[in-house]
Amino acid sequence: MDERLSPLEEQEHSLDPDDWAAFRARAHSMLDAALDHAEGVRDGAVWTPMPEDVKAALAEPVPMDAQGTDKVCEDLLARVLPYATGNTHPRFLGWVHGAGTPGGIIADTMAAAMNSNLGGRDHGAIYVERQVISWVKKLFDFPHTSSGLVVSGTSIATLIALTAARYAKAGYDVRRQGVRPEKGRLVGYTSSEAHSCIARTFDMLGLGLDALRSVPVDDVYRMDIVALRQAIRDDLEAGHRPFCVVGSPATVNTGAVDDLDAISRICQEHDLWFHVDGAFGAVAALSETLKPRFKGLERADSIALDFHKWMHVTYDAGIVLIRREDIHREAFTLRREYLTAAPRGLAAGNPWFCEYGPELSRGFRALKVWFHLKEHGIRRIAEKVEDNCRQAAYLGELVKARPELELSTPVSLNICCFRFAAPDLTDTALNLINEEIVIDLQESGVAAPSTTRLNGRLAIRVNITNHRSTMADFDLLVDEVVKLGRALVERV
Amino acid sequence: MDERLSPLEEQEHSLDPDDWAAFRARAHSMLDAALDHAEGVRDGAVWTPMPEDVKAALAEPVPMDAQGTDKVCEDLLARVLPYATGNTHPRFLGWVHGAGTPGGIIADTMAAAMNSNLGGRDHGAIYVERQVISWVKKLFDFPHTSSGLVVSGTSIATLIALTAARYAKAGYDVRRQGVRPEKGRLVGYTSSEAHSCIARTFDMLGLGLDALRSVPVDDVYRMDIVALRQAIRDDLEAGHRPFCVVGSPATVNTGAVDDLDAISRICQEHDLWFHVDGAFGAVAALSETLKPRFKGLERADSIALDFHKWMHVTYDAGIVLIRREDIHREAFTLRREYLTAAPRGLAAGNPWFCEYGPELSRGFRALKVWFHLKEHGIRRIAEKVEDNCRQAAYLGELVKARPELELSTPVSLNICCFRFAAPDLTDTALNLINEEIVIDLQESGVAAPSTTRLNGRLAIRVNITNHRSTMADFDLLVDEVVKLGRALVERV
């Protein structure tokens, strides 16, 4: 290792292109392919499964030798680009995926060129992230003294929020000592319809899945507030230590809106941390029309939400807000010698973002959020949220108007769950038929709803977090469901 | 909410551009700006602090109304792009940042256009990530039955690995019951030089910072194996439950290489989980020349490493590998009704990646890794690792040749810690002078090393994870350090 290369020899050895002009031309042609994909998104199938021969071609041995930019680009165009998830299509209506916007291409191009690491230090990207956090605090009526962190999504945001909650409410030094159930088991509450990331967080934090009490829901799937009070009382009597309640501004199954106001009052009474799992639902509160339904949200101790869902920032990006900055930082800070901040220079910029969450290296996902919010503005994003709610209501009406279809539960917000229900068929048969309808819709590329189970019955679940969907898409969907359902009944 | 817009009215309301041609032209001009930035990276200062008036311009009110693509692009060019972290510059030599490559711009452009969510389901991005995982397993001699997950970096990778370790070794159902110290406190071991993400993980997992035993290091900062054995014995005698040891193929402070082979044997003896914190160091094992120094790595139960450091993939991207796929999945899986996998259609593709880590929504960071490994090939990436080690050794020789400089510890791998040390000055004075030298280097834009403390003395820490650095950069660095040091001594 001691023979010395000349600087020139080494420079030739860098990973930068030998021929910048050729690289530039290729990058532009790839950008055109990306933009063609974005512009033509309405034309193709929602979802195109990857053929077996493409899968086989992908499964190449470890690339020990350089294949070069051109070859890799060609492979990308042939083997990857045609097989996207489909959520940019106007009739992607499954799960809760955002639809993205082409502006994200520009923002991510620039983020890749800058290659910033937002763990800390004093550079431009840090100020962009601070600005994004400051805007979101304002939007959700959080005090300017609160704190936040841009993360990959609600799962990590929840992990951060409940780590802070555990720290704030444990009653002993949980950071040093770990979880100590003998001092009173830390228990929390959320509805039986809550997202699984809450349970996963209880598991990871060492509290245990059993420590998350599953509060029953009412007939429209909202947390039963009387049952919540009772559960807290029971735990207190049993000597446990209730420490948090997690409310949902919209459950993922049915779009049910928990009574956040009532939950926040209960939290205040019992000194519990009030966390809001706002993954997509919190975004609805950006609409002045819808905002009254989310009263209480502004009193949360922490909110987790996604930018990549109902705000349509490209994947992945979310945020956590925490009302008390001191608690947030104290729950995470750990700095070593090699991370010492300096009063000036690149190592300034205190406090560093790595003191507010688990990640030390942090990419510049704040840039696409900043870009997107400025490009489209909050009002326009909120209008699209309202459009989606209007579309869900419209779909509900279409379902009611068809004798072969039935609503599985009243439409709430942007989610409509329904099923094909021919008379004289058992639920078991209908479950199979409805599952088959959904798979057929996906495989034909016509639409991509998902499924769920409500009261043991399989429902076609249409979640509309899509700024490209139009009313006509739902006319088409309903026609197809009925057509497929009838055909399947005939086959049975 | 019941008035119906015509499909046309709604389509006009989507967040897509009204004028695609204009948008396309703007995207191309932004790509040129990104490529100019990448191509010109050697010319400018390493780091340009953001001026106060730019900070003030960034701090605009919440963008309620759309500003449009052009305005946002202009703001990005004026207020953000010039103020990058600096780690793409050949004389960025601080902390452990990768230098990125322009190929990442192409990959991220396409990932943004596809907007894939890799939580699960059956689509192209999933197969790309599986391929990346398969390659990395092969590169680290992990069995093909092992599992992995592409994540934002080593911090999250460590969280996943140690969650699996806790699950595997607790001796009770830690997922359901949470951490139960009365059944024997779970304790782990790592060296006093280990990265703070290990401690943070112990904290988050509810084990407590105190449960991570800090094993002393030898005179070149490697974990003291005798002390490790003693610590395990002490804990067993005290009734605790040792469950894991974390070894470092390269410590962040000094690049010290733990004796992974010895650690792995101790783990086998005591049935402990052997985790390797490979953040940047594991990448050195890709070099056939360096590989023998990392013997034992291939016997780890889990490895965490970053693609965005010594492999130069753009931020952020890392991976966790776990030898036992069943344990990995059992430690995380939690699926609800709305995530049920189907035998066919878009909801197929089992198992889903969301069963292997905390994130349910997952961006397509695997694409840039796939692109990068194919574009440059493992051998070329490993050559750059060897170059960096050669450069660190060369810098060490330069330091030894200068009477005013002293090595703080022998050079190990790619890290050289040294200081300016004029005679007759106290350590306190030298600490101030060396800190000032580093700040001056950063503020002048000449170079960006960082600092650390070794034996209580402040050292200039040069970490070389940079494929653009050349030998001449270190000649220049040493000249500047001596010049600045002399000037500061005169001022004292």
Side-chain angles (χ1 to χ4, degrees):
Chain A
M1 303 242 303
D2 48 4
E3 74 279 21
R4 178 174 170 185
L5 290 176
S6 77
L8 184 66
E9 282 171 315
E10 280 196 311
Q11 215 141 320
E12 282 170 357
H13 254 254
S14 98
L15 301 179
D16 281 341
D18 293 325
D19 180 346
W20 274 97
F23 183 89
R24 193 177 286 255
R26 173 56 82 167
H28 279 286
S29 85
M30 292 299 280
L31 173 60
D32 272 322
L35 292 170
D36 290 346
H37 180 86
E39 190 173 353
V41 79
R42 291 171 190 279
D43 305 332
V46 178
W47 172 66
T48 307
M50 183 178 265
E52 293 305 321
D53 63 322
V54 177
K55 288 181 194 166
L58 260 186
E60 59 187 316
V62 183
M64 293 306 296
D65 295 307
Q67 299 179 5
T69 311
D70 287 343
K71 163 84 170 100
V72 186
C73 286
E74 276 151 29
D75 286 353
L76 199 169
L77 294 177
R79 298 174 188 169
V80 184
L81 182 60
Y83 310 107
T85 317
N87 48 315
T88 57
H89 191 286
R91 281 191 301 281
F92 187 95
L93 306 165
W95 305 284
V96 189
H97 286 31
T101 71
I105 298 174
I106 298 179
D108 275 350
T109 297
M110 210 57 81
M114 293 180 69
N115 198 34
S116 294
N117 175 352
L118 285 82
R121 289 160 284 271
D122 186 11
H123 52 102
I126 298 291
Y127 294 91
V128 172
E129 178 159 343
R130 286 196 191 147
Q131 197 53 33
V132 166
I133 294 166
S134 148
W135 288 342
V136 179
K137 291 195 299 197
K138 199 99 181 174
L139 286 170
F140 289 98
D141 300 316
F142 260 48
H144 74 275
T145 51
S146 59
S147 53
L149 195 69
V150 173
V151 293
S152 64
T154 293
S155 298
I156 299 296
T158 304
L159 197 56
I160 293 171
L162 296 189
T163 299
R166 188 186 65 176
Y167 169 77
K169 303 294 184 188
Y172 53 91
D173 187 353
V174 67
R175 293 200 67 190
R176 292 233 74 84
Q177 301 170 24
V179 170
R180 301 185 61 181
E182 83 277 13
K183 295 192 169 228
R185 186 165 190 192
L186 292 166
V187 292
Y189 309 84
T190 195
S191 92
S192 57
E193 289 288 299
H195 192 272
S196 57
C197 73
I198 320 289
R200 175 140 31 215
T201 299
F202 269 67
D203 174 12
M204 292 186 75
L205 293 184
L207 305 170
L209 293 167
D210 290 344
L212 178 62
R213 312 310 198 192
S214 179
V215 180
V217 290
D218 63 18
D219 57 347
V220 287
Y221 298 99
R222 294 173 307 195
M223 189 190 290
D224 180 334
I225 297 297
V226 175
L228 170 63
R229 283 192 181 281
Q230 186 59 49
I232 295 171
R233 260 198 307 269
D234 291 349
D235 278 321
L236 286 171
E237 270 171 31
H240 300 313
R241 203 180 165 90
F243 82 106
C244 79
V245 184
V246 181
S248 300
T251 61
V252 65
N253 237 354
T254 65
V257 179
D258 282 344
D259 184 345
L260 302 177
D261 198 44
I263 296 174
S264 83
R265 274 183 279 112
I266 292 173
C267 286
Q268 206 159 19
E269 265 171 52
H270 291 279
D271 190 27
L272 308 180
W273 185 280
F274 174 31
H275 175 67
V276 170
D277 176 27
F280 71 103
V283 176
L286 301 183
S287 149
E288 288 303 320
T289 316
L290 295 167
K291 193 170 179 178
R293 297 182 63 177
F294 304 100
K295 190 161 177 282
L297 179 60
E298 74 289 350
R299 288 208 303 282
D301 291 298
S302 54
I303 302 180
L305 66 96
D306 286 314
F307 295 117
H308 56 223
K309 289 193 169 108
W310 224 353
M311 294 180 94
H312 306 295
V313 173
T314 49
Y315 278 90
D316 45 24
I319 193 169
V320 60
L321 292 185
I322 296 194
R323 180 172 300 275
R324 293 235 348 233
E325 184 275 341
D326 55 341
I327 286 177
H328 187 181
R329 184 168 29 81
E330 285 167 18
F332 279 97
T333 192
L334 263 189
R335 262 163 78 164
R336 301 295 267 262
E337 301 83 348
Y338 47 85
L339 293 176
T340 304
R344 291 163 24 236
L346 181 50
N350 267 309
W352 287 12
F353 281 127
C354 65
E355 295 177 82
Y356 294 87
E359 290 165 311
L360 204 51
S361 293
R362 304 178 63 250
F364 197 7
R365 53 175 62 74
L367 185 64
K368 60 189 175 187
V369 183
W370 176 86
F371 193 98
H372 185 84
L373 298 185
K374 276 167 65 81
E375 188 182 17
H376 301 294
I378 299 298
R379 285 202 184 88
R380 206 169 163 206
I381 292 166
E383 274 166 30
K384 292 312 301 177
V385 165
E386 292 169 9
D387 282 350
N388 287 164
C389 294
R390 205 177 287 128
Q391 289 161 346
Y394 174 67
L395 174 58
E397 296 305 316
L398 291 180
V399 166
K400 284 189 213 157
R402 298 284 185 127
E404 289 138 309
L405 301 182
E406 65 180 34
L407 271 184
S408 306
T409 182
V411 170
S412 183
L413 285 179
N414 61 323
I415 297 180
C416 177
C417 294
F418 67 100
R419 66 172 188 168
F420 181 86
D424 308 327
L425 284 176
T426 63
D427 274 345
T428 313
L430 287 176
N431 287 353
L432 287 170
I433 286 174
N434 280 282
E435 177 163 29
E436 196 60 29
I437 290 172
V438 168
I439 292 177
D440 284 351
L441 285 169
Q442 292 169 356
E443 290 191 333
S444 63
V446 169
S450 58
T451 61
T452 193
R453 275 179 187 268
L454 294 170
N455 292 319
R457 293 169 179 164
L458 191 127
I460 300 175
R461 179 173 163 284
V462 172
N463 160 79
I464 320 173
T465 46
N466 194 326
H467 63 90
R468 295 189 184 94
S469 307
T470 64
M471 291 295 185
D473 290 314
F474 301 96
D475 294 329
L476 192 152
L477 174 72
V478 164
D479 287 345
E480 284 294 315
V481 167
V482 170
K483 200 173 80 186
L484 288 166
R486 283 180 189 157
L488 284 163
V489 168
E490 273 181 32
R491 271 205 269 152
V492 174
Chain B
M1 302 240 303
D2 48 3
E3 74 279 21
R4 179 171 170 187
L5 289 177
S6 77
L8 185 65
E9 282 171 316
E10 279 196 311
Q11 213 141 321
E12 281 169 359
H13 254 255
S14 98
L15 301 179
D16 281 342
D18 293 324
D19 180 346
W20 273 97
F23 183 88
R24 193 176 285 256
R26 174 55 82 166
H28 280 286
S29 86
M30 292 299 280
L31 173 60
D32 272 322
L35 292 170
D36 290 346
H37 180 85
E39 189 173 354
V41 79
R42 287 168 192 281
D43 305 331
V46 178
W47 172 66
T48 307
M50 184 178 264
E52 293 305 320
D53 63 322
V54 177
K55 288 181 195 167
L58 260 185
E60 58 188 315
V62 183
M64 293 306 297
D65 295 307
Q67 300 179 4
T69 310
D70 286 343
K71 163 82 171 100
V72 185
C73 286
E74 276 150 30
D75 286 353
L76 200 168
L77 295 177
R79 298 175 188 168
V80 184
L81 182 60
Y83 310 107
T85 318
N87 47 317
T88 57
H89 191 285
R91 281 191 303 282
F92 187 95
L93 307 164
W95 305 284
V96 189
H97 286 32
T101 71
I105 297 174
I106 298 179
D108 275 350
T109 296
M110 211 55 81
M114 293 180 70
N115 199 32
S116 294
N117 175 351
L118 286 82
R121 288 159 284 270
D122 186 12
H123 52 101
I126 298 291
Y127 294 92
V128 172
E129 178 159 344
R130 286 197 190 145
Q131 197 54 33
V132 166
I133 294 167
S134 148
W135 288 341
V136 179
K137 291 196 300 199
K138 198 100 182 172
L139 286 170
F140 289 98
D141 300 317
F142 260 48
H144 74 274
T145 51
S146 59
S147 53
L149 195 70
V150 173
V151 293
S152 64
T154 293
S155 298
I156 299 295
T158 304
L159 197 55
I160 293 172
L162 296 188
T163 300
R166 188 186 66 176
Y167 169 78
K169 303 295 185 189
Y172 54 90
D173 186 353
V174 67
R175 292 200 68 190
R176 292 233 73 84
Q177 301 170 24
V179 170
R180 300 185 61 180
E182 82 277 15
K183 296 194 168 224
R185 186 166 189 190
L186 293 166
V187 292
Y189 309 84
T190 195
S191 92
S192 56
E193 288 288 300
H195 192 273
S196 56
C197 73
I198 321 290
R200 187 166 345 244
T201 299
F202 268 67
D203 174 11
M204 291 185 75
L205 293 184
L207 305 170
L209 294 168
D210 290 345
L212 178 63
R213 311 311 197 192
S214 178
V215 180
V217 291
D218 64 17
D219 57 347
V220 286
Y221 299 99
R222 295 173 307 196
M223 189 191 288
D224 180 333
I225 297 297
V226 175
L228 170 63
R229 282 192 181 283
Q230 187 58 50
I232 295 171
R233 259 196 309 270
D234 291 349
D235 278 321
L236 285 171
E237 270 170 33
H240 299 313
R241 203 177 164 93
F243 83 105
C244 79
V245 185
V246 181
S248 301
T251 61
V252 66
N253 236 355
T254 66
V257 180
D258 282 343
D259 185 344
L260 302 177
D261 198 44
I263 296 173
S264 83
R265 275 184 277 110
I266 291 172
C267 285
Q268 204 158 20
E269 264 171 54
H270 291 279
D271 190 27
L272 308 181
W273 186 281
F274 175 31
H275 175 67
V276 171
D277 176 26
F280 69 104
V283 175
L286 300 182
S287 150
E288 288 302 321
T289 316
L290 295 167
K291 192 172 180 177
R293 297 182 64 177
F294 304 99
K295 189 161 177 282
L297 179 60
E298 74 289 351
R299 288 207 303 282
D301 291 298
S302 53
I303 303 180
L305 65 97
D306 285 314
F307 296 116
H308 56 225
K309 289 193 170 107
W310 224 352
M311 294 180 94
H312 305 297
V313 173
T314 49
Y315 278 88
D316 45 24
I319 193 170
V320 61
L321 292 185
I322 295 193
R323 180 171 301 275
R324 292 228 359 227
E325 184 275 340
D326 55 341
I327 287 177
H328 187 183
R329 186 168 27 79
E330 286 166 19
F332 279 96
T333 192
L334 265 189
R335 262 163 78 166
R336 301 294 266 263
E337 302 84 347
Y338 47 84
L339 292 177
T340 304
R344 292 164 24 236
L346 181 49
N350 266 312
W352 286 13
F353 280 127
C354 66
E355 295 177 83
Y356 294 89
E359 290 165 311
L360 204 52
S361 293
R362 304 178 62 251
F364 196 7
R365 54 174 62 73
L367 185 65
K368 61 188 174 187
V369 183
W370 177 86
F371 192 98
H372 185 83
L373 298 185
K374 276 167 66 79
E375 187 182 17
H376 301 293
I378 299 297
R379 284 201 185 90
R380 205 167 164 208
I381 294 166
E383 274 167 28
K384 292 312 301 177
V385 165
E386 292 169 8
D387 282 351
N388 287 164
C389 294
R390 205 176 288 128
Q391 289 160 345
Y394 175 67
L395 174 58
E397 295 305 317
L398 292 181
V399 166
K400 283 189 212 158
R402 297 284 186 128
E404 290 137 310
L405 301 182
E406 66 180 34
L407 271 184
S408 306
T409 182
V411 171
S412 182
L413 285 178
N414 61 323
I415 296 180
C416 176
C417 295
F418 67 100
R419 65 172 187 167
F420 181 86
D424 308 327
L425 285 177
T426 62
D427 274 344
T428 313
L430 288 176
N431 287 353
L432 286 171
I433 286 174
N434 280 281
E435 178 163 29
E436 196 61 31
I437 290 172
V438 168
I439 292 179
D440 283 351
L441 285 169
Q442 292 169 357
E443 291 190 332
S444 64
V446 169
S450 57
T451 60
T452 192
R453 277 181 186 266
L454 294 170
N455 293 319
R457 291 170 181 164
L458 191 128
I460 299 175
R461 179 174 163 283
V462 172
N463 160 81
I464 320 173
T465 44
N466 195 325
H467 63 90
R468 295 188 185 94
S469 307
T470 65
M471 291 297 185
D473 290 314
F474 301 97
D475 294 329
L476 191 152
L477 174 72
V478 164
D479 287 344
E480 284 293 315
V481 168
V482 170
K483 199 173 79 186
L484 289 167
R486 282 180 189 160
L488 285 164
V489 168
E490 273 180 32
R491 271 206 269 154
V492 174

